[in-house]
């Protein structure tokens, strides 16, 4: 098997020599270029396992190299070498598609870790065709777009902010990014930031030494150390108190943590993925989240679509969830009656996939003869079929969701009664055709 080849682009002979010697000891071949023109000529002729480029070049800059590689050699990871303190430059490079970055003077251990991670990357198509089952179920355009974004972002080491509503599957997305990336064989450490008491937070994140506080009877590594060389997933990151936000920012910037009870910092190599159901930009505007920390963790944002934007996935998700429940309980998989599936497809699911799982588990327990009827689902804010004007509205959580659901049911019923003739349905509902078309689009019924 031939050795991988790395392209090094820098106009400083001592840097070229240092990188060449270090990579040579890793059994990696190198080619070098001292200008952008020379580098582009080599990139046109050869394929490289990795490209390391300085930011400043005599005839251009490293950002141009990053953009060229993204356009012409997208399966080649590229890392930026920047001057110490040029954090903005490094972040811009990550946003442009760089795999990672190094600062001068180059830390050789950090260089070896970066090269090792980059060489573990397979071409994107190979990674997507792995035999491991894709846990992201669905055939809708939003879920297809999400899969494509995940495949691309898994090849980067950039900090990633995963946004989305509660129950939409943010941790599932984070696990998929880890599984498709170069750190897949290392630990994936998920943390619910809202579940850690504030007085224990620093110890939990960074570890402590024996005797550092009452009850510290032994040395204990923190979550950063547990995720070293792997991925650290901070869920509900908006719940971190301000004091901890400051310490987290330092750990991210320095790539090092200081356990309680010691003055010695420990280097850590983690890929950081963060998530929250809150609007993090609004939290910054309201003064509850540090802007500098937001800037560091939100290098790239990945949005997980809510379930109501991917309604065509509901039958597949329903079958999958019921199959798991049946297997767990040693029972046959129940069928969902037509009215039951109609109710599921018309509901807005403010709790998303988690709410769907809970509703189906309840229905699985209550249903008779392995058949789930609409009355077994008990969806919040959905009046049961046949209910009268005395229905109980005390359980309404989201008025907008409730009203949209009623409107959706009325429009669907009118379309069925008119054999899906939109002009006739609009007339039956007392709407103009234009108004009906707008409502169909708003409610996700315009397919």
């Amino acid at each position: 098997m031939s050795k991988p080849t790395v392209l090094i682009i820098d106009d400083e002979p001592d840097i070229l020599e240092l990188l060449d010697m270090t990579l040579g000891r890793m059994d990696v071949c190198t080619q070098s270029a001292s200008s952008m023109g020379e580098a582009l000529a080599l990139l046109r002729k050869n394929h490289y396992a990795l490209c390391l480029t300085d930011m400043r070049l005599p005839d251009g800059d490293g950002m141009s190299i990053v953009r060229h590689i993204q356009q012409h050699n997208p399966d080649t990871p590229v890392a930026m070498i920047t001057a110490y303190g040029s954090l903005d430059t490094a972040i811009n490079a990550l946003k442009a598609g760089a795999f990672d970055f190094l600062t001068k003077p180059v830390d050789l251990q950090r260089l070896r870790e970066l090269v090792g991670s980059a060489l573990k990357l397979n071409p994107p198509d190979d990674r997507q065709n792995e035999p491991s089952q894709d846990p992201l179920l669905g055939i809708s355009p939003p879920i297809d777009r999400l899969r494509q974004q995940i495949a691309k972002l898994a090849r980067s080491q950039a900090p990633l902010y995963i946004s989305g509503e509660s129950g939409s599957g943010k941790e599932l997305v984070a696990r998929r990014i880890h599984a498709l990336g170069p750190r897949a064989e290392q630990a994936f450490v998920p943390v619910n930031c809202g579940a850690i008491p504030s007085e224990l937070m620093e110890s939990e994140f960074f570890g402590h030494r024996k005797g550092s506080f009452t009850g510290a009877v032994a040395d204990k590594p923190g979550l950063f150390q547990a995720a070293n060389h792997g991925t650290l997933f901070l869920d509900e990151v908006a719940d971190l108190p301000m004091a901890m936000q400051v310490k987290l920012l330092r750990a991210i910037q320095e790539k090092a943590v200081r356990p309680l009870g010691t003055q010695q910092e420990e280097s850590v190599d983690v890929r950081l993925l963060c998530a929250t159901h809150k609007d993090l930009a609004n939290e910054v505007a309201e003064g509850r989240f540090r802007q500098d920390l937001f800037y560091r963790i939100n290098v790239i944002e990945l949005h997980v679509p809510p379930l109501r934007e991917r309604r065509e996935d509901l039958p597949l998700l329903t079958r999958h969830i019921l199959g798991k429940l049946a297997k767990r309980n040693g029972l046959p998989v129940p069928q969902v009656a037509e009215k039951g599936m109609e109710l599921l497809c018309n509901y807005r699911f403010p709790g998303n996939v988690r709410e769907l799982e809970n509703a189906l588990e309840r229905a699985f327990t209550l249903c008779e003869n392995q058949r789930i009827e609409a009355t077994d689902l008990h969806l919040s804010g959905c009046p049961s079929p046949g209910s009268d004007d005395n229905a109980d509205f005390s359980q309404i959580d989201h008025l907008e969701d409730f009203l949209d659901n009623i409107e959706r049911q009325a429009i669907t019923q009118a379309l069925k009664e008119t054999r899906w003739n939109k002009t006739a349905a609009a007339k039956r509902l007392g709407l103009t055709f234009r108004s009906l078309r707008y409502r169909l689009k708003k409610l996700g019924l315009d397919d």
Side-chain angles (χ1 to χ4, degrees):
M1 183 176 177
S2 60
K3 296 180 182 180
T5 302
V6 173
L7 175 62
I8 305 169
I9 310 167
D10 202 302
D11 62 338
E12 297 182 45
D14 54 339
I15 294 288
L16 290 175
E17 184 179 359
L18 175 65
L19 298 181
D20 178 65
M21 288 175 58
T22 305
L23 269 58
R25 294 191 185 104
M26 297 178 68
D27 208 25
V28 172
C29 296
T30 64
Q31 287 187 354
S32 61
S34 57
S35 68
M36 191 170 80
E38 190 179 345
L40 294 179
L42 288 171
L43 284 165
R44 281 191 287 269
K45 291 190 296 183
N46 306 303
H47 175 79
Y48 297 99
L50 170 67
C51 174
L52 296 169
T53 179
D54 191 17
M55 178 58 196
R56 297 184 180 279
L57 298 168
D59 54 346
D61 58 49
M63 290 296 293
S64 299
I65 298 289
V66 172
R67 286 189 285 266
H68 176 88
I69 288 177
Q70 282 293 297
Q71 184 175 357
H72 301 284
N73 312 83
D75 59 335
T76 299
V78 53
M80 181 78 77
I81 304 172
T82 67
Y84 179 76
S86 301
L87 194 57
D88 289 354
T89 300
I91 290 175
N92 288 335
L94 292 172
K95 287 184 175 182
F99 171 76
D100 208 340
F101 69 92
L102 291 165
T103 56
K104 293 181 180 180
V106 175
D107 182 319
L108 296 185
Q109 179 58 32
R110 173 87 183 97
L111 170 65
R112 285 189 284 266
E113 290 170 349
L114 186 153
V115 173
S117 292
L119 295 183
K120 290 176 184 175
L121 283 173
N122 292 329
D125 291 343
D126 292 348
R127 300 297 307 203
Q128 286 181 292
N129 293 329
E130 283 182 338
S132 60
Q133 186 178 6
D134 183 356
L136 295 173
L137 298 177
I139 56 172
S140 62
I143 210 71
D144 278 344
R145 283 194 298 272
L146 183 63
R147 281 197 191 94
Q148 292 169 11
Q149 290 172 313
I150 287 171
K152 182 177 181 180
L153 295 174
R155 295 174 54 78
S156 169
Q157 297 299 288
L160 187 63
Y161 167 49
I162 304 172
S163 64
E165 297 177 6
S166 290
S168 57
K170 296 185 291 296
E171 182 173 339
L172 191 68
V173 168
R175 289 183 179 276
R176 186 61 176 165
I177 289 169
H178 172 77
L180 291 178
R183 299 172 182 262
E185 296 178 2
Q186 304 298 326
F188 176 88
V189 179
V191 184
N192 186 335
C193 297
I196 304 175
S198 56
E199 64 273 14
L200 298 178
M201 202 162 272
E202 189 172 356
S203 169
E204 287 294 315
F205 272 84
F206 308 136
H208 63 251
R209 293 287 180 262
K210 178 180 178 180
S212 56
F213 57 87
T214 303
V217 296
D219 290 355
K220 178 190 173 186
L223 295 164
F224 268 86
Q225 291 95 327
N228 197 23
H229 304 300
T231 302
L232 181 61
F233 174 56
L234 302 183
D235 199 6
E236 300 305 343
V237 70
D239 291 342
L240 287 173
M242 275 290 180
M244 190 61 205
Q245 291 180 30
V246 176
K247 293 181 172 66
L248 177 60
L249 177 63
R250 176 174 173 78
I252 295 170
Q253 290 178 338
E254 302 298 326
K255 298 184 183 295
V257 298
R258 183 182 298 164
L260 285 175
T262 179
Q263 298 301 311
Q264 191 70 31
E265 287 195 332
E266 299 177 5
S267 295
V268 286
D269 168 33
V270 302
R271 177 154 194 211
L272 190 66
L273 307 180
C274 296
T276 180
H277 72 281
K278 296 180 180 179
D279 183 337
L280 208 51
N282 184 63
E283 294 295 298
V284 172
E286 295 292 329
R288 291 186 291 267
F289 200 85
R290 291 182 63 96
Q291 186 171 23
D292 47 6
L293 179 58
F294 175 65
Y295 183 57
R296 283 300 287 120
I297 67 175
N298 190 30
V299 172
I300 300 171
E301 180 176 351
L302 177 63
H303 181 68
V304 182
L307 190 52
R308 62 181 172 275
E309 292 180 4
R310 38 182 295 227
R311 295 181 187 279
E312 51 265 73
D313 296 335
L314 272 160
L316 177 61
L317 287 167
T318 298
R319 288 194 298 271
H320 175 74
I321 293 167
L322 290 175
K324 287 199 304 183
L325 290 169
K327 185 176 181 181
R328 186 194 308 163
N329 292 278
L331 295 171
V333 179
Q335 297 298 309
V336 181
E338 183 179 348
K339 287 287 185 183
M341 185 57 72
E342 183 179 322
L343 188 65
L344 288 173
C345 290
N346 286 334
Y347 183 58
R348 281 181 64 84
F349 283 102
N352 293 291
V353 179
R354 189 180 297 128
E355 184 181 4
L356 174 64
E357 290 173 338
N358 292 340
L360 290 175
E361 185 165 10
R362 185 167 57 243
F364 182 91
T365 305
L366 295 173
C367 73
E368 301 287 343
N369 302 317
Q370 282 80 52
R371 182 177 172 85
I372 294 176
E373 303 289 347
T375 50
D376 297 322
L377 290 166
H378 298 286
L379 294 172
S380 174
C382 276
S384 300
S387 61
D388 57 25
D389 293 339
N390 296 318
D392 178 15
F393 297 106
S394 62
Q395 299 302 312
I396 295 175
D397 296 325
H398 300 78
L399 181 61
E400 183 182 346
D401 289 345
F402 179 78
L403 295 175
D404 281 355
N405 186 61
I406 293 175
E407 186 177 4
R408 184 179 292 104
Q409 289 180 353
I411 290 174
T412 302
Q413 184 66 28
L415 286 167
K416 284 183 177 179
E417 291 174 0
T418 58
R419 297 184 179 180
W420 301 94
N421 184 316
K422 292 179 182 177
T423 303
K427 185 176 180 180
R428 176 164 295 196
L429 292 166
L431 300 171
T432 65
F433 179 77
R434 184 176 181 179
S435 177
L436 176 62
R437 190 170 58 182
Y438 166 78
R439 290 165 189 265
L440 288 171
K441 185 174 182 179
K442 184 188 78 166
L443 298 170
L445 297 172
D446 58 342
D447 294 336

